[in-house]
Amino acid sequence: MILKRNLLSAALASAMLMTATGAYATQPATNGQAQDSNQATSQKADKKEQKKRASATKLSAVEVTGFASSVQNSIATQRNSDVIVEAVSAEQIGKLPGTSIADSLGRLPGLAVQRLNGRPQVLTIHGLGPDFSTALVNGRQQVSTGNNRGVQFDQYPASWFNSVQVHLSPSAALVGQGMAGTVDMHTIRPLEQDKPIAAINASYIWNSMNQVAPGKGVSDKGYKVNGVWVHQFADRTFGVTLGLDMESNPTQIQHQAPWGYPTDNSAAGGNALIGGSKNYATSDLFKRTGLLATLQFQPNENFTSTLDMTYDRFHDRQHSKGIEFPLAWGNAQLEPGYTAQGGLITKGTFTHVKPVIRNDYNRSLSKVYNVGWNNKWRINEDWSAEADASISHADRRDAFIESYSGTAFGADNGPFDTLNFTQGGSGNLWQLNNSLDYSPSQVVLTDPQGWGGGSGLVQGGFVNAPHVVDRISDLRLSAERSFVDGPIASIKFGIDREDRKKSFNIQQRFLVPNNGNLTYTTSPWGAQTAALPSGAFSDTQLSFMGVGNLPIYDPIALIQNGTYDQVPAYQSSLPMPPDWKVHEKDTTPFVQFNLDTQLGNFPLRGNFGLQVAHTTQDSQGGRVAPGSSYVGKTAVIPVQGGTSYTRYLPSVNLVLGLTDQTDLRFGAARSMARPRMDQMNASFAVNTNNTHLASSDPNNAYFSSNSGNPKLLPSMADNYNLSIEHYFGNSKGYVSLSGYFLKLSDYINPSTTVLTDFSQYTAYAGTTDLSQLGTTLGIASVPTNSGRGYVKGVQAVLNTPLGLFTPVLDGFGVIFSGNLTKSSIVYDGNPDPITVPGLSEHVVNNTIYYEHNGFQARVSQNYRSSFLGRVYGISASRIEQTIKGGSTYDAQISYSLQSGPMKGLTILLQGSNLSNKKFITYQNHDPRQILTWENYGRRYEVGVSYKF
């Protein structure tokens, strides 16, 4: 800790030393005589004018006419910034380059995206995942529709934003910043446009795969329509921006998810063997309606008031049709004659297979709105002030509905299937060839594996219905004092007060076939079987993996018509009570000194300052009362906890102009990442294991527990960035080399084992005779701040029009970037290091483009190596798996009419995932041991846009 403080102190001291040096160098000589008032005023005015001329040397934005001008504007934003940023600018009003916000950001140097349901959603910055970055809209922190802080970027229409900046080095005046980076999305300001503008974009979307799963509300075709209107009134003192975005985005998913690979099967000879497999064909349709309004009032140059309002409603529907095969972890029997390679059985036959046929339906409805009101005053030539108030609110309701059918009730009742299986090699799915007839006449609604037996019922299906509410209220007040003399250009100081409330609740229900007369007290509750609905039919959705015809029906209708009864469940397949609320109150005063001076003969600009983050946090959860049933009505005892903390976050950013075209940038800061909200859950679950009743070893004891930790503190990092950038061709191109290092402390271990005395929880033994109890000690699994480590990396970028080198290549340009990142995390009590979740050691983003007389074409490649990512697990939980890396390729071609009555019309064709990259996760560092295999196909889009 002392070393880290000394390093940052040295960085800040260096900044102050350079400030003092600059002040000394620029201090005018005096002759000991007083200057009269008029002469002093004149000198002050001259110096102001000199600073204005110096500021004018910064790059100016060019008129947006296509991808090349978008690149130039991004370069201008990057070079003009006093901190290290990456930026993306709109190709035209209402159109960022890319199919979505996440897609556009994933092309930037040092950034990578993870796809969920075939769409780019989750952002990684310099190897750190969404838990370590934040998202802002117009400088205001955003809520998340997920169950944590990480923002899924498909919750924002790309048409809303004129530019997006990713701050890679923190600064004191940037409130709401993340540890790895801060994504700040900027909507269109009407009074910043030099004239009224209107644009409309419309496109038709389709997938290379036809619709793979039938069902209401899904399709293999879609559309996007958006429009933006910007106007100024009353002699440009009042401006309006209005935006509308409507989208229907289809995805087709071929899905296989093996259960795992046990090595203890007696017939497998110690080899790993596929434990089971969940197999689906899924059709998904994501529909959105987004509204944007900005009102801006500027009666004079001394006052500007801006009101931003956004509303976004998006609905995601999925129909999934498939079958689940319990194999080595079921009652299936491996036959002799199998093939084993490298410790894995890759080919063989299972008999006595009793599958579960699945007809599932998932839906998600989210509503997000933001209201922000910003007021800026220029009090006089030296002082300005700003007040900003905002509310960000998200409400998301999901329903994951499962319906089971099979040949008979129970795992031991036939008829049974015979399954031939073959592994296709590294990263390839398993071919599963069954032999039994699953036509609707041979299948019934039932509990084929007897999964409901432990709960005393016939489990014909299950419902998980999570509900997330997230709300941020924020008030920020600040003032800025500008200076003419000395190295300090201005001092900005202020205070931010944020109140955040987030809750997660999940309703769980068994779907039980209704026989009309049984009650909860009858065991098992519900009929063993029920007939399939009359409209059921056969189809071959899983032929891509060798599975034959399966029955298809609508599970929603079975709930609506009373075929299923719904029996409440609690904490099913979850380690602890899942419902929680978190309330945070954050107070952040800050001060930032902005530099504009000389270091010898070299211009020096930047900033240094301090944020003081004070947080009070409270969490509410529960634990199931001793003896309470987990089926029907469950008694839950409220649990509450919390803490408060203060963190001092100094920062320094310096830009030294080595030449007119070469800048050396340095950034140092202490930054933090607040804990995941599900890990702050105050809930607590006591577990008992009768097989360990007599054990006196606490590591294998009768009692154990799982819980969250409402007293979790933020992960901390000392963040260092160094970059050298050389610009050429009148700053139309640049090359850069940079390095970054984050020294991590208080890193959160999600499952620390803590020795605990469970004497006060003996009531959870129920009817068990505790006279044979070996010990009341046991292990509690709880998240703690017990980790430390580092993330370090280097990055190289070349961004240039090729016409700068030869006229033959006029119109061509390239953007090449590559990152090499390494990490190491060590937890207390475990010397073996692990990598940071979400980190790919290698990330490469390349784009080649051509633009001439309205014609544009570009091809992009995005590569990332394998990484540890988060995916959906059982009961809507989030789990970590190794995600296989690889390249995706996108391309776009367009033509804009340059003259005539249709000037401003652009015709566009673009394709995504042109290499048809699969989404694959695996275990044990063996890509053959896949846990998820998904094929999304290629996505195509043809459209037109018109700028008025």
Side-chain angles (χ1 to χ4, degrees):
M1 184 64 71
I2 294 174
L3 175 60
K4 291 186 287 184
R5 287 174 179 166
N6 286 343
L7 285 171
L8 276 175
S9 298
L12 286 171
S14 298
M16 294 177 183
L17 177 60
M18 286 185 280
T19 298
T21 304
Y24 181 80
T26 58
Q27 184 177 354
T30 64
N31 58 11
Q33 298 178 352
Q35 306 294 320
D36 62 50
S37 176
N38 290 335
Q39 184 177 357
T41 302
S42 176
Q43 287 181 345
K44 188 174 183 179
D46 290 343
K47 291 176 181 177
K48 277 189 176 289
E49 187 61 30
Q50 290 172 7
K51 285 208 170 186
K52 285 182 179 180
R53 287 196 297 270
S55 297
T57 62
K58 289 188 175 182
L59 301 184
S60 299
V62 300
E63 183 180 355
V64 178
T65 57
F67 183 73
S69 59
S70 167
V71 171
Q72 290 180 41
N73 284 341
S74 299
I75 292 174
T77 299
Q78 174 180 313
R79 188 172 190 193
N80 291 343
S81 177
D82 289 340
V83 299
I84 299 175
V85 301
E86 297 292 346
V88 57
S89 299
E91 295 184 23
Q92 66 177 41
I93 294 296
K95 189 179 185 307
L96 286 173
T99 59
S100 66
I101 289 284
D103 183 49
S104 299
L105 292 173
R107 305 171 192 268
L108 294 176
L111 278 67
V113 294
Q114 177 184 335
R115 293 176 180 265
L116 297 174
N117 289 330
R119 297 188 301 272
Q121 294 186 33
V122 178
L123 188 67
T124 297
I125 302 176
H126 281 172
L128 290 168
D131 293 335
F132 301 95
S133 60
T134 57
L136 314 177
V137 172
N138 297 321
R140 305 176 182 114
Q141 189 165 355
Q142 295 297 288
V143 292
S144 168
T145 55
N147 64 345
N148 278 293
R149 302 178 193 273
V151 169
Q152 295 181 350
F153 283 91
D154 66 349
Q155 75 184 48
Y156 301 105
S159 63
W160 284 356
F161 303 106
N162 204 34
S163 66
V164 183
Q165 296 181 24
V166 182
H167 297 255
L168 300 177
S169 59
S171 59
L174 182 65
V175 178
Q177 58 197 354
M179 175 189 291
T182 307
V183 180
D184 194 1
M185 298 168 279
H186 298 273
T187 58
I188 301 164
R189 292 287 184 258
L191 296 183
E192 293 177 3
Q193 308 300 314
D194 59 0
K195 58 187 176 182
I197 301 171
I200 186 169
N201 305 284
S203 59
Y204 173 75
I205 303 168
W206 74 99
N207 192 279
S208 62
M209 295 192 294
N210 293 327
Q211 185 172 333
V212 297
K216 184 184 298 184
V218 296
S219 176
D220 58 350
K221 299 174 179 62
Y223 61 86
K224 286 197 301 186
V225 178
N226 61 73
V228 177
W229 179 77
V230 182
H231 211 288
Q232 302 84 28
F233 305 91
D235 197 24
R236 296 188 57 84
T237 61
F238 182 69
V240 177
T241 297
L242 298 177
L244 171 66
D245 187 284
M246 295 185 296
E247 177 180 349
S248 180
N249 195 346
T251 305
Q252 309 304 314
I253 307 172
Q254 295 174 332
H255 171 95
Q256 184 180 87
W259 292 3
Y261 300 85
T263 57
D264 57 356
N265 187 281
S266 59
N271 293 295
L273 177 65
I274 183 171
S277 184
K278 185 185 294 185
N279 314 288
Y280 284 121
T282 298
S283 289
D284 176 285
L285 190 65
F286 177 88
K287 302 189 76 171
R288 175 209 307 284
T289 300
L291 300 172
L292 163 72
T294 297
L295 308 178
Q296 197 169 19
F297 178 57
Q298 189 177 20
N300 53 59
E301 64 178 7
N302 297 321
F303 175 69
T304 303
S305 182
T306 306
L307 179 65
D308 296 305
M309 296 171 288
T310 65
Y311 172 78
D312 194 14
R313 182 186 188 274
F314 44 101
H315 196 172
D316 199 4
R317 290 185 178 92
Q318 283 187 347
H319 281 277
S320 296
K321 312 297 181 181
I323 191 169
E324 197 161 2
F325 291 112
L327 300 173
W329 273 329
N331 293 333
Q333 299 168 2
L334 178 67
E335 296 298 311
Y338 57 79
T339 301
Q341 296 178 342
L344 175 69
I345 295 179
T346 58
K347 185 177 182 179
T349 300
F350 280 105
T351 58
H352 206 263
V353 178
K354 185 67 182 296
V356 179
I357 299 170
R358 302 285 293 265
N359 280 264
D360 296 358
Y361 174 77
N362 303 326
R363 69 170 180 262
S364 174
L365 176 61
S366 299
K367 299 177 182 178
V368 181
Y369 70 79
N370 291 279
V371 179
W373 187 26
N374 180 271
N375 294 276
K376 296 179 179 179
W377 296 268
R378 181 183 176 189
I379 300 171
N380 56 40
E381 62 182 4
D382 296 324
W383 281 95
S384 61
E386 184 175 354
D388 191 279
S390 63
I391 294 175
S392 182
H393 181 91
D395 187 298
R396 174 172 174 168
R397 295 179 183 270
D398 296 345
F400 303 98
I401 300 171
E402 306 171 1
S403 176
Y404 313 146
S405 56
T407 56
F409 170 77
D412 297 325
N413 300 318
F416 300 100
D417 206 346
T418 297
L419 189 74
N420 297 314
F421 65 95
T422 304
Q423 215 288 324
S426 177
N428 290 321
L429 81 166
W430 293 85
Q431 287 295 313
L432 307 173
N433 303 107
N434 66 297
S435 58
L436 202 61
D437 177 16
Y438 293 112
S439 60
S441 61
Q442 306 299 313
V443 174
V444 292
L445 299 173
T446 189
D447 186 353
Q449 281 288 314
W451 287 341
S455 301
L457 47 75
V458 177
Q459 183 177 342
F462 199 80
V463 177
N464 284 292
H467 180 206
V468 175
V469 178
D470 196 0
R471 183 182 180 90
I472 296 176
S473 302
D474 187 272
L475 176 63
R476 187 178 310 159
L477 304 174
S478 64
E480 186 167 10
R481 170 69 160 90
S482 299
F483 300 94
V484 175
D485 296 318
I488 305 296
S490 66
I491 300 175
K492 186 173 183 178
F493 57 93
I495 188 167
D496 183 90
R497 173 70 171 181
E498 180 181 286
D499 187 279
R500 184 169 193 170
K501 296 178 181 178
K502 184 154 190 166
S503 63
F504 177 86
N505 303 91
I506 183 169
Q507 293 184 2
Q508 297 183 305
R509 298 184 294 274
F510 291 104
L511 297 180
V512 179
N514 183 3
N515 68 0
N517 58 8
L518 296 182
T519 67
Y520 288 124
T521 58
T522 306
S523 182
W525 190 84
Q528 288 190 350
T529 65
L532 292 185
S534 58
F537 61 95
S538 289
D539 210 339
T540 58
Q541 284 80 19
L542 301 185
S543 59
F544 67 92
M545 66 178 70
V547 177
N549 285 1
L550 296 173
I552 305 299
Y553 57 86
D554 181 8
I556 300 296
L558 300 179
I559 298 175
Q560 294 173 341
N561 65 21
T563 300
Y564 284 139
D565 279 342
Q566 300 187 57
V567 181
Y570 191 78
Q571 200 185 321
S572 176
S573 303
L574 296 170
M576 59 186 173
D579 299 344
W580 50 263
K581 295 180 180 179
V582 171
H583 185 193
E584 291 178 335
K585 295 180 180 180
D586 305 317
T587 303
T588 308
F590 62 90
V591 59
Q592 178 171 299
F593 297 83
N594 297 308
L595 301 173
D596 189 358
T597 185
Q598 296 283 126
L599 183 63
N601 294 323
F602 302 102
L604 176 70
R605 57 187 171 91
N607 57 69
F608 63 93
L610 175 70
Q611 278 188 13
V612 181
H614 177 76
T615 296
T616 299
Q617 64 189 33
D618 176 79
S619 175
Q620 300 176 32
R623 61 182 172 91
V624 176
S628 180
S629 171
Y630 287 81
V631 179
K633 187 175 182 180
T634 303
V636 179
I637 300 171
V639 180
Q640 187 170 354
T643 189
S644 62
Y645 57 86
T646 301
R647 294 292 182 268
Y648 296 90
L649 308 175
S651 62
V652 57
N653 294 278
L654 301 173
V655 184
L656 185 65
L658 300 179
T659 70
D660 288 343
Q661 301 298 324
T662 305
D663 293 335
L664 178 66
R665 294 177 180 266
F666 171 75
R670 180 166 296 128
S671 57
M672 70 179 189
R674 301 183 191 275
R676 288 169 53 94
M677 286 184 159
D678 61 346
Q679 293 175 344
M680 297 168 65
N681 182 359
S683 294
F684 179 75
V686 178
N687 311 311
T688 58
N689 188 333
N690 286 329
T691 62
H692 295 162
L693 179 64
S695 172
S696 59
D697 179 5
N699 293 301
N700 295 284
Y702 175 72
F703 286 110
S704 63
S705 69
N706 298 91
S707 70
N709 185 355
K711 295 186 177 181
L712 271 179
L713 300 174
S715 299
M716 303 299 298
D718 289 341
N719 189 328
Y720 302 94
N721 290 272
L722 183 65
S723 174
I724 186 165
E725 303 164 354
H726 178 68
Y727 297 83
F728 45 84
N730 197 23
S731 294
K732 292 182 178 179
Y734 78 97
V735 60
S736 71
L737 180 65
S738 59
Y740 44 92
F741 181 84
L742 286 83
K743 183 69 173 179
L744 304 174
S745 60
D746 290 341
Y747 190 87
I748 295 173
N749 181 349
S751 55
T752 305
T753 55
V754 180
L755 185 64
T756 304
D757 187 352
F758 289 89
S759 298
Q760 60 179 315
Y761 300 111
T762 55
Y764 284 90
T767 59
T768 301
D769 181 8
L770 293 185
S771 62
Q772 303 298 316
L773 182 65
T775 179
T776 59
L777 299 177
I779 296 299
S781 178
V782 57
T784 62
N785 295 94
S786 60
R788 62 193 183 278
Y790 65 83
V791 175
K792 61 182 180 181
V794 293
Q795 172 180 294
V797 180
L798 172 63
N799 184 336
T800 181
L802 296 179
L804 296 177
F805 305 102
T806 171
V808 176
L809 297 177
D810 229 8
F812 285 95
V814 296
I815 307 172
F816 296 151
S817 70
N819 283 71
L820 173 63
T821 307
K822 294 183 178 294
S823 72
S824 176
I825 298 294
V826 176
Y827 295 129
D828 288 350
N830 185 356
D832 297 327
I834 64 170
T835 189
V836 171
L839 185 143
S840 291
E841 185 170 338
H842 301 96
V843 174
V844 177
N845 296 321
N846 297 322
T847 296
I848 301 175
Y849 63 90
Y850 176 74
E851 185 173 324
H852 182 69
N853 287 340
F855 177 80
Q856 298 182 59
R858 68 174 181 269
V859 178
S860 297
Q861 176 217 13
N862 303 99
Y863 169 81
R864 66 183 304 186
S865 56
S866 299
F867 63 99
L868 188 64
R870 290 193 174 95
V871 297
Y872 278 109
I874 194 168
S875 292
S877 60
R878 301 288 276 176
I879 58 175
E880 292 181 349
Q881 295 180 356
T882 300
I883 299 178
K884 186 178 181 180
S887 293
T888 60
Y889 294 88
D890 306 321
Q892 177 177 305
I893 186 171
S894 66
Y895 180 72
S896 300
L897 288 131
Q898 303 294 294
S899 61
M902 298 302 292
K903 180 181 179 181
L905 178 69
T906 300
I907 302 171
L908 169 91
L909 173 65
Q910 64 182 13
S912 304
N913 194 31
L914 294 177
S915 58
N916 195 19
K917 181 182 180 298
K918 312 299 189 293
F919 178 83
I920 298 169
T921 72
Y922 58 90
Q923 69 174 26
N924 297 331
H925 306 288
D926 184 354
R928 301 175 305 165
Q929 296 188 31
I930 62 171
L931 298 174
T932 305
W933 181 97
E934 289 187 343
N935 177 31
Y936 305 124
R938 299 167 179 85
R939 180 184 184 276
Y940 301 105
E941 183 175 337
V942 60
V944 296
S945 64
Y946 189 75
K947 180 181 177 182
F948 298 89

